[in-house]
Amino acid sequence: MDFILNILVALGLVPAKDLSDSMAQSRTLTIMVIVGVILFGIFLLFLFKMAGAQ
């Protein structure tokens, strides 16, 4: 769980401790956060690709 906590702090999520505690109790929340981070990363890669195409 420390790995996820470090990622959340690095992303600037201030209540990372509370979120990580909730994620430890809820598998659905954990999946939602992981999918959200992956989709956000894909979106950023898409934006960089579009910016480089011009």
Side-chain angles (χ1 to χ4, degrees), residues 11-34:
L11 290 174
L13 298 173
V14 177
K17 179 66 175 145
D18 295 332
L19 180 59
S20 65
D21 290 342
S22 296
M23 287 173 62
Q25 296 175 1
S26 172
R27 186 176 5 158
T28 304
L29 179 60
T30 303
I31 292 170
M32 288 173 57
V33 169
I34 291 171

Side-chain angles (χ1 to χ4, degrees), residues 11 36-51:
L11 290 174
V37 168
I38 290 171
L39 290 176
F40 184 70
I42 291 171
F43 178 66
L44 287 178
L45 288 174
F46 171 74
L47 289 179
F48 280 119
K49 183 180 182 320
M50 288 295 114

